[in-house]
Amino acid sequence: MTSKPIPMLDLKTQYATIKAEIHSAIDRVLDSQQFILGTEVEEFEKVLAAYCHTKYAFGVSSGTDALLLSLMVAGIKAGDEVITTPYSFFSTAGSIVRLGAKPVFVDIEPTSFNIQADQIEHVITPCSKAIIPVHLAGQSADMNPILEIAKPYDICVIEDACQAIGADYNGLRAGSMGHLGCFSFFPSKNLGGYGDSGLVTTNDLDLANKISILRNHGQQPKYHNPLVGGNFRMDALQAAVLSAKFKHLENWTEARRKHAETYRSLFSSAGISISLSEFDFKPGIVLPIESGIGRHIYHLYMIRTKKRNALISYLKDNQIGCEVYYPIPLHLQECFQYLGYKEGDFPQSERAAKESLALPIYPELTYEMQSIIVETISEFCKSYF
Ligand SMILES: *Cc1c(COP(=O)(O)O)cnc(C)c1O
């Protein structure tokens, strides 16, 4: 191959299209010399609350801190159990453990990579205090059954929407369905800052009050601490950059969705896309499966293939970026061995960790690049299957 390398993500190209807006946003903060919370963050919170269809939104220091703060606000403490998926980024479970609580895992659906809602009830005990469904790759988990199960047990539902800003489910926005919603603005996310930051959303006034106090050490008023919180505050520079980038978010999301359609038609023209039910006996690639009950925002374009690791090397040799999200399911992480889970406990998550691969789907990707990616994967399929 002689074509230019295709990266997994290309933030430099995006920056070139918004450079002037970013610089004026940063200048505004520098002129104000107000660097933490303040009007810049408040304006951003208003815009994001409206976008997420929630009454309240609070800018915080990261997506991880959004999860930790949400669990604190929900009153999660040592000995409590929090039900979640083993197929997520580390901090979904890590934040549970940091409060002394115990993550209780439920396997994923092989179609969406999201938690099996109908299996949650089997693991509920008197210690169950929260459920964290993750909207993986940008597609909402099946929220209705989750909310229904949680209600009679008075269990708090915290949406990990870090990969799902602007996704919806039955017309409802990610982050607006549970008691609390958590978002990340890590630079590689669909709305990415220039550093770390995150957001917590809620429709509940009591929870909102608690978030705003706990985000700032649990103090109210200044130097009086009714609660023990932390420094989970958002920087004004991040809010300013994100406010500028937010104006493009819908266009970027639609570009990602268009790329997903383009992949679908290119893969099927190449004759290498197969359905999940054909996976075990037919060579090929399983494309992302949309649930059909809401907008998938394609934070990740997750394919599945039997020869995943060989495909990674092949793409690398052809200078095409790709990434595994995630190679080790959380129940098999070294630091969680004390929980007593073992290999075989969550077969769908373990399979996904071996078979899934994310391809480039950033908004600035071109049709030509997508054609090269699919051609290369097609060549791979011919020689490896
Ligand atoms: C990115 C991410 C997080 C953590 O966000 P940070 O801002 O990196 O702390 C948590 N959960 C999921 C599912 C994520 O994708």
Side-chain angles (χ1 to χ4, degrees), residues 61-67 87-92 134-137 160-163 182-189 195-198 299-300 325-326:
S61 31
S62 68
T64 300
D65 283 344
L67 287 163
Y87 197 62
S88 182
F89 180 63
F90 176 76
S91 66
T92 308
V134 178
H135 307 315
L136 206 81
D160 182 340
C162 287
Q163 299 186 2
C182 301
F183 294 87
S184 164
F185 305 118
F186 184 79
S188 68
K189 299 286 157 87
D196 277 311
S197 63
H299 172 57
L300 303 172
Y325 297 93
Y326 297 92

Side-chain angles (χ1 to χ4, degrees), residues 111 113 264 286-290 296 298 300-303:
T111 46
F113 301 101
R264 196 164 298 282
V286 180
L287 305 181
I289 297 161
E290 290 199 21
H296 191 325
Y298 286 100
L300 303 172
Y301 190 82
M302 300 255 279
I303 62 165

Side-chain angles (χ1 to χ4, degrees), residues 72-356:
M72 290 170 77
V73 163
I76 301 305
K77 54 185 188 327
D80 291 343
E81 293 177 3
V82 179
I83 299 163
T84 192
T85 158
Y87 197 62
S88 182
F89 180 63
F90 176 76
S91 66
T92 308
S95 50
I96 298 167
V97 171
R98 285 172 66 188
L99 293 173
K102 182 181 164 191
V104 174
F105 296 117
V106 169
D107 208 359
I108 55 164
E109 290 167 355
T111 46
S112 64
F113 301 101
N114 285 329
I115 193 165
Q116 292 173 357
D118 59 355
Q119 296 302 307
I120 291 175
E121 193 147 24
H122 300 306
V123 299
I124 290 181
T125 74
C127 296
S128 308
K129 293 290 151 60
I131 302 172
I132 308 182
V134 178
H135 307 315
L136 206 81
Q139 174 159 251
S140 177
D142 195 7
M143 289 302 291
N144 280 346
I146 295 172
L147 296 168
E148 260 165 51
I149 294 157
K151 206 163 188 182
Y153 297 98
D154 206 18
I155 290 175
C156 181
V157 177
I158 300 170
E159 293 173 66
D160 182 340
C162 287
Q163 299 186 2
I165 190 162
D168 52 35
Y169 171 87
N170 277 330
L172 302 171
R173 276 280 155 93
S176 74
M177 297 175 274
H179 299 88
L180 295 148
C182 301
F183 294 87
S184 164
F185 305 118
F186 184 79
S188 68
K189 299 286 157 87
N190 285 26
L191 180 59
Y194 291 171
D196 277 311
S197 63
L199 191 85
V200 180
T201 52
T202 187
N203 282 309
D204 183 306
L205 177 62
D206 290 337
L207 293 176
N209 287 334
K210 241 175 136 185
I211 295 166
S212 82
I213 297 170
L214 286 175
R215 171 174 68 169
N216 195 13
H217 301 291
Q219 69 176 9
Q220 196 192 52
K222 204 171 184 185
Y223 302 129
H224 293 257
N225 293 63
L227 300 164
V228 178
N231 174 358
F232 303 127
R233 299 175 306 235
M234 186 188 224
D235 285 350
L237 279 169
Q238 294 311 326
V241 166
L242 290 164
S243 293
K245 291 187 78 178
F246 175 79
K247 299 191 175 89
H248 304 276
L249 181 61
E250 272 304 301
N251 286 340
W252 289 335
T253 298
E254 286 309 313
R256 286 172 181 272
R257 289 180 49 75
K258 196 166 151 275
H259 296 339
E261 252 178 65
T262 301
Y263 270 135
R264 196 164 298 282
S265 76
L266 289 171
F267 273 111
S268 73
S269 308
I272 50 169
S273 71
I274 56 168
S275 69
L276 191 57
S277 56
E278 294 169 322
F279 188 82
D280 285 328
F281 57 88
K282 201 170 160 185
I285 307 288
V286 180
L287 305 181
I289 297 161
E290 290 199 21
S291 67
I293 43 174
R295 183 167 77 152
H296 191 325
I297 55 123
Y298 286 100
H299 172 57
L300 303 172
Y301 190 82
M302 300 255 279
I303 62 165
R304 245 182 220 270
T305 177
K306 275 233 164 78
K307 317 255 168 162
R308 200 265 316 265
N309 291 348
L311 178 57
I312 294 172
S313 323
Y314 195 84
L315 289 172
K316 207 174 162 199
D317 290 345
N318 286 281
Q319 298 192 287
I320 293 171
C322 61
E323 197 77 48
V324 176
Y325 297 93
Y326 297 92
I328 305 171
L330 297 175
H331 68 288
L332 299 179
Q333 287 291 349
E334 190 182 339
C335 64
F336 295 146
Q337 288 318 287
Y338 74 97
L339 293 169
Y341 291 112
K342 58 184 186 317
E343 194 141 12
D345 283 349
F346 303 108
Q348 294 301 344
S349 299
E350 291 165 27
R351 258 190 72 178
K354 292 190 179 87
E355 298 170 352
S356 77

